[in-house]
Amino acid sequence: MPVDPLDVDWWREAVIYQVYPRSFADGDGDGVGDLRGVIARLDYLNDGSERSLGVDAIWVSPVYPSPMADFGYDVADHCDVDPLFGDLATFDLLVRGCHARGIRVLLDFVINHTSDQHPWFVDARASRGSPHRDWYYWRDPAPGGGPPDDWTAVFGGSAWTLDVATGQYYLHSFLPQQPDLNWEHPAVVDAMGDVLRFWMARGVDGFRVDAVQQLAKPDIGADAEVVSLIGEGRIDPRVTGHLRTVRRVLDEFPGRVSIAEAYVPPEELAALYGGAALDAMHLAFHFEFIRLTADGAYTPWDAPRMAALLRRTQAALPPGALPCYALANHDVPRFRSRHDADGRGPERARASALFLLGVRGVPCMYAGEEIGMPDVVIPAERRRDPGGRDGARTPMQWDRSAGRGFTSGHPWLPFGPIEVDVAAQLDDERSLLSLYRRAIWLRKAEPALRGGDQAIVHEGASTLALRRQAPGARPVLLALNTASTPARVPLDGEFARVLLASDEHVQLKGEASARTLVLPALAAAWLVP
Ligand code: NOJ
């Protein structure tokens, strides 16, 4: 079914799927994925039948012309497509192909910086008096020479790089090839607004807004201490202000959505939505389940920890705001490998599908997670990313042919284990892919899962149960066991039937009000009355 333009709130009940275009499907055999490749695989994403995944939107990581220092997050032209990926006409075909299948298209809006090859920056560095000079941040060297202060970039090293010709340093929160835009300059705000308009006029349904936390800089001149631009885990009020400006541009076009990317604790998320007014971003990513914690490990798959996070999130978000959950993306190791210290990552991956698609919020999946792709160890000579994230970016494995159905050429990154592929899982009822498909289609059929309220109704040492409820619809219970031994969840008689389970040995025991749900190790289930 094609998208319904009158359904302006579509995103509230959507399942979003992240396509990392370099690694999704290669249409021209150069070993790098491209737009033609994505177009050829749209039926896999949603052909209207339960044989397809059934996602409602794709978020496409950057396809703009770029020197690829940060694989597209260094944008050299906001209003075109890099020849590596295709051209604008092919992009229009992608939008048309998606819309015909009921799939919305979100682009990546790289708000905080451009490439150093972008015409704005090329002009900015041409002379101190250039019209675009103040579109970026410039400072004189420290009195004795060297960078103006000790600010460090997200990928390490100084956040300042000297422009030898003009004798000043420019600021970059990320790589030196990614100079930060000055959002305090009205011309920048206007020009970036026009970028959004350009794509929305082409039919784009919204944007994932990159690195918003970096939009506000530490106070320039507030010297001495080392300030890391990785962010202090806080959203500065200036960030909210800029996001409100972005929102006003989106509001010129009905039915568009914005999703903020910021690695902040739940308490800071409200500021991304604009607080109670909800006049900034429509959604913000909730990254607590995937980020590196202070002790240097990824958040463990642990029910009490998850319950605490859900409670904090519920308390922190303004009424009407939905979190956008991601359990993986192109910046962190894949879920299965993050939770595989004991070799049981695949079981946790199954449970995580039911969690992601069952918890209150908008789920955002990362391509390849639905088949359980692991992080791939990349030999030193094939590493490409200065941030060390290649392992989570290896090409999608469509089948077991030499090019894995991804390419007819030589893939830009090595493939993972051959036995993880779409083709085999499509035909296997017990595969992770089949579990994802079933979960997504069942979610569409259950108003409680799509948009219901959520109450934590049970918490045990390794268990958690969430009751979802929408007006006029049957409730659904999401129950999880994160221990590697079986566990029981007492039920009060309301739930009598397993709708979907990550493990075939999930069982209901007892009668009526004395029912117990027996969850095998690492299992999850959805129950209905
Ligand atoms: C977040 C993106 O997801 C990441 O890949 C990129 O390196 C930084 N932002 C900088 O744009």
Side-chain angles (χ1 to χ4, degrees):
M1 256 215 303
V3 295
D4 173 4
L6 297 179
D7 182 11
V8 293
D9 281 333
W10 61 271
W11 50 272
R12 297 197 145 264
E13 299 188 351
V15 174
I16 302 173
Y17 183 93
Q18 180 192 356
V19 170
Y20 192 69
R22 292 185 77 87
S23 295
F24 194 64
D26 172 17
D28 63 5
D30 65 357
V32 178
D34 49 40
L35 296 180
R36 286 220 169 270
V38 182
I39 292 169
R41 294 291 182 178
L42 290 181
D43 280 342
Y44 165 77
L45 295 178
N46 196 345
D47 70 358
S49 84
E50 299 192 15
R51 185 162 163 86
S52 66
L53 207 46
V55 299
D56 307 294
I58 55 172
W59 145 37
V60 185
S61 282
V63 290
Y64 317 105
S66 164
M68 304 289 169
D70 190 15
F71 294 106
Y73 286 94
D74 46 329
V75 179
D77 178 352
H78 291 102
C79 298
D80 206 346
V81 170
D82 195 287
L84 193 60
F85 297 121
D87 53 24
L88 282 172
T90 313
F91 183 80
D92 293 342
L93 287 178
L94 172 69
V95 173
R96 215 173 308 145
C98 283
H99 285 176
R101 290 169 177 80
I103 305 171
R104 257 81 176 195
V105 181
L106 312 185
L107 283 185
D108 219 303
F109 183 50
V110 187
I111 191 169
N112 174 71
H113 42 268
T114 66
S115 160
D116 61 350
Q117 306 298 309
H118 194 292
W120 298 343
F121 190 72
V122 171
D123 178 63
R125 77 188 317 175
S127 81
R128 290 196 184 197
S130 292
H132 293 88
R133 185 75 171 179
D134 295 339
W135 288 36
Y136 296 86
Y137 289 94
W138 296 94
R139 281 186 71 191
D140 290 332
D149 55 41
D150 293 335
W151 295 2
T152 57
V154 173
F155 295 137
S158 174
W160 297 97
T161 289
L162 180 64
D163 177 56
V164 177
T166 58
Q168 283 189 311
Y169 282 81
Y170 65 87
L171 180 69
H172 49 87
S173 294
F174 296 89
L175 299 172
Q177 297 94 323
Q178 294 168 294
D180 280 23
L181 280 168
N182 175 8
W183 270 77
E184 308 304 325
H185 195 308
V188 169
V189 177
D190 287 350
M192 291 297 272
D194 284 343
V195 169
L196 296 168
R197 292 184 186 97
F198 173 85
W199 291 107
M200 288 191 286
R202 284 200 114 83
V204 164
D205 301 284
F207 302 90
R208 174 264 195 189
V209 187
D210 183 72
V212 301
Q213 200 184 346
Q214 279 73 28
L215 280 181
K217 313 305 169 196
D219 289 328
I220 292 191
D223 270 301
E225 323 123 66
V226 179
V227 176
S228 166
L229 294 183
I230 208 158
E232 306 296 299
R234 299 229 35 241
I235 296 300
D236 188 281
R238 285 171 293 176
V239 171
T240 307
H242 297 317
L243 296 180
R244 287 197 172 107
T245 316
V246 168
R247 172 61 176 269
R248 281 196 292 273
V249 177
L250 263 81
D251 284 346
E252 295 169 17
F253 296 74
R256 314 301 156 118
V257 69
S258 49
I259 313 172
E261 187 228 20
Y263 283 81
V264 293
E267 288 70 22
E268 293 296 314
L269 292 176
L272 298 168
Y273 294 81
L278 297 179
D279 57 356
M281 297 288 98
H282 298 81
L283 293 167
F285 276 117
H286 184 294
F287 283 140
E288 286 296 297
F289 295 112
I290 74 177
R291 75 181 182 87
L292 216 44
T293 58
D295 52 15
Y298 287 95
T299 306
W301 189 246
D302 175 55
R305 207 74 180 231
M306 294 161 89
L309 280 172
L310 294 177
R311 207 171 297 105
R312 281 169 59 193
T313 306
Q314 213 150 311
L317 286 192
L322 284 170
C324 182
Y325 287 105
L327 297 181
N329 63 31
H330 63 294
D331 290 329
V332 297
R334 288 198 176 263
F335 182 94
R336 168 180 161 180
S337 301
R338 279 197 335 260
H339 299 287
D340 198 41
D342 58 358
R344 301 186 78 169
E347 290 157 84
R348 292 185 182 89
R350 291 181 66 84
S352 80
L354 269 62
F355 175 73
L356 181 68
L357 293 158
V359 69
R360 177 182 176 269
V362 174
C364 182
M365 312 164 48
Y366 176 44
E369 289 294 297
E370 74 276 25
I371 56 169
M373 281 177 57
D375 230 59
V376 179
V377 180
I378 313 287
E381 70 280 5
R382 291 203 63 183
R383 288 186 199 144
R384 303 286 302 270
D385 176 39
R389 298 161 293 185
D390 295 318
R393 298 177 176 182
T394 61
M396 184 77 176
Q397 305 192 170
W398 296 97
D399 59 37
R400 298 187 186 180
S401 64
R404 303 298 191 274
F406 164 74
T407 184
S408 57
H410 181 69
W412 76 286
L413 282 177
F415 296 121
I418 191 157
E419 61 279 3
V420 181
D421 73 310
V422 170
Q425 293 198 26
L426 271 178
D427 293 326
D428 176 0
E429 277 298 297
R430 294 180 319 183
S431 67
L432 180 60
L433 177 56
S434 293
L435 183 69
Y436 263 102
R437 282 189 289 180
R438 237 174 280 138
I440 291 172
W441 287 97
L442 283 172
R443 188 181 193 273
K444 288 186 205 294
E446 296 290 338
L449 287 175
R450 284 202 322 263
D453 290 343
Q454 171 170 289
I456 301 177
V457 292
H458 162 84
E459 282 176 76
S462 71
T463 49
L464 166 65
L466 307 176
R467 185 179 182 278
R468 306 287 315 277
Q469 162 96 70
R474 63 176 177 178
V476 178
L477 190 80
L478 158 64
L480 272 180
N481 171 24
T482 56
S484 31
T485 49
R488 288 164 179 268
V489 173
L491 301 174
D492 61 7
E494 182 178 31
F495 294 98
R497 200 164 68 78
V498 177
L499 182 65
L500 186 64
S502 68
D503 182 305
E504 60 195 2
H505 302 296
V506 165
Q507 270 184 56
L508 280 166
K509 289 207 166 140
E511 287 305 317
S513 62
R515 255 186 224 112
T516 301
L517 172 68
V518 184
L519 289 170
L522 304 172
W526 290 352
L527 273 66
V528 288

